[in-house]
Amino acid sequence: MSAALPGESCERAGGIMSAEVAEQPAVLRRILRDGTAGIREVAAAIAAREPRFVLLTARGTSDHAALYAKYLLEIRCGLPCGLASMSTTTAYGAKPDLTDVLVIGVSQWGGSPDLVASTWAAREAGATTLAVTNNPDSALTAVAEFHIDVLAGPERALPATKSYTASLLSLYLFAEALGGRDGAAAGDLPDLAQRVLARTGEVRTLASRYRFAERMVIISRGYGYPTAKEAALKLMETCYIPALSYSGADLLHGPLAMVDNISPVIAIVPEGKGGEALQAVLARLRARGADLFVVGSQAEVEAASAGFVLPTDGVPEELQPILQILPLQLLAHEVAIARGQDPDAPRTMAKTPETD
């Protein structure tokens, strides 16, 4: 059984989710130790085909991992990318020419019928297909030409946690290898993740601030934007709080009008160009008296009304999302518990091979 966070057991409400959150440093170490060589082999085989474009297909949490991969592949590898609309082939029967296109399907279970069908259709249309899953025996793995196992191990809680960060690290290592780099910058991540997750009590105190929140807004820029989307999903599925995620740039195009001093705004502020691009938005939020919670550096947290300082000094911006999501997973768990809900079993949800 997984080890729960300090002071918790798997028997209490949310105990399974907390145990899987706590497992993430070990999962990251496993990928670096046991997964890197295989990822490099896959990347080398795909690089030899010289893909001209990348299409990413996914649902739910895996869709946010795919969005992270889009940033990586465009910025680090110079490959234009798009997020595929699976219904164009599965519902409308479109038959695009995907010659020299790399199609990457990201999925925890690898069993979503539309994801499997669209990946098979892409392969028939001439694409090179890659499945990135936590299940090497999945239907998606069977129809894809290449596979990367993210090595997260069985995930029993309904909200995906360790499979998400495992997917991020695996996709990072793949993009680095595709670009001819060794990905060595990821070596410190397991220890840094352990440091973040040791601060559960700090997050629990912060969670009491949002126990009665009726709505939340989560924003970021650049590599942090997928983190904003994933954090919003975790808050919605575990706490039932309507959580809206935006790129900071998009927030200024209308949605800023709904921000007040009651509904919390969570800002993920990367150290790097994404954080620099977010500064004008943060200034506007402070001017409106927003209830602002920042996940970022010491300086950014001090400028806000609340926050969580990340140990990202010297961590490349493209790796920071793997740390950024950790306190937000903890926050979703703790807010759910404070509201009398069980984050292990959100209402209306079921974990099956057909969903992600």
Side-chain angles (χ1 to χ4, degrees):
M1 182 175 289
S2 304
L5 294 169
E8 297 190 349
S9 72
C10 291
E11 284 72 34
R12 63 161 281 186
I16 299 174
M17 180 181 176
S18 71
E20 291 177 345
V21 169
E23 228 182 302
Q24 289 174 104
V27 171
L28 298 176
R29 288 189 186 94
R30 185 185 308 139
I31 295 167
L32 293 172
R33 183 188 65 233
D34 301 335
T36 301
I39 292 171
R40 287 175 179 167
E41 288 179 8
V42 168
I46 291 174
R49 298 188 183 185
E50 300 182 337
R52 59 183 173 84
F53 191 85
V54 181
L55 278 175
L56 295 136
T57 61
R59 296 287 190 200
T61 285
S62 296
D63 196 36
H64 306 149
L67 179 58
Y68 169 71
K70 182 178 187 294
Y71 278 89
L72 283 173
L73 291 165
E74 289 187 339
I75 297 170
R76 303 286 292 169
C77 300
L79 279 170
C81 300
L83 300 177
S85 299
M86 286 179 268
S87 62
T88 59
T89 54
T90 61
Y92 291 92
K95 297 185 181 300
D97 180 2
L98 298 180
T99 306
D100 299 328
V101 174
L102 170 62
V103 173
I104 304 175
V106 186
S107 174
Q108 177 190 356
W109 285 96
S112 299
D114 56 349
L115 185 55
V116 173
S118 64
T119 300
W120 177 248
R123 190 169 178 178
E124 287 191 315
T128 297
T129 52
L130 168 64
V132 179
T133 80
N134 193 34
N135 181 8
D137 299 319
S138 69
L140 180 62
T141 303
V143 300
E145 186 176 359
F146 298 98
H147 176 245
I148 290 174
D149 184 352
V150 305
L151 300 174
E155 197 165 44
R156 296 188 296 133
L158 292 182
T161 53
K162 63 178 183 174
S163 63
Y164 177 68
T165 50
S167 296
L168 297 191
L169 179 54
S170 298
L171 288 162
Y172 168 80
L173 293 172
F174 170 74
E176 290 298 281
L178 197 65
R181 296 174 294 272
D182 63 10
D188 292 334
L189 281 177
D191 290 339
L192 293 172
Q194 193 74 55
R195 286 171 54 188
V196 171
L197 294 175
R199 295 160 60 190
T200 310
E202 182 182 336
V203 175
R204 189 169 293 148
T205 300
L206 289 167
S208 63
R209 180 186 181 105
Y210 304 120
R211 178 178 179 182
F212 299 108
E214 295 183 359
R215 181 185 67 204
M216 288 188 179
V217 175
I218 300 96
I219 65 167
S220 192
R221 289 292 301 269
Y223 286 109
Y225 181 42
T227 308
K229 294 178 73 66
E230 174 61 10
L233 176 60
K234 285 293 160 283
L235 287 163
M236 287 189 285
E237 69 183 354
T238 61
C239 310
Y240 319 141
I241 296 174
L244 307 172
S245 59
Y246 294 100
S247 160
D250 288 333
L251 185 75
L252 298 181
H253 289 270
L256 182 66
M258 71 178 174
V259 173
D260 53 30
N261 62 355
I262 298 174
S263 299
V265 178
I266 298 175
I268 297 106
V269 186
E271 291 192 64
K273 293 182 179 179
E276 293 168 9
L278 203 56
Q279 291 305 309
V281 183
L282 296 173
R284 293 281 296 274
L285 289 168
R286 288 191 289 266
R288 291 184 63 83
D291 179 357
L292 184 60
F293 175 98
V294 164
V295 175
S297 69
Q298 181 74 46
E300 295 293 349
V301 170
E302 289 177 354
S305 52
F308 189 99
V309 178
L310 286 176
T312 51
D313 186 30
V315 177
E317 185 177 356
E318 60 269 18
L319 280 171
Q320 291 175 29
I322 297 172
L323 300 175
Q324 290 164 349
I325 192 59
L326 300 179
L328 298 169
Q329 291 173 343
L330 293 174
L331 184 68
H333 177 274
E334 294 301 330
V335 171
I337 295 296
R339 290 164 71 99
Q341 291 143 201
D342 184 358
D344 287 341
R347 64 193 182 201
T348 76
M349 288 182 65
K351 204 175 191 86
T352 72
E354 284 73 41
T355 62
D356 276 294

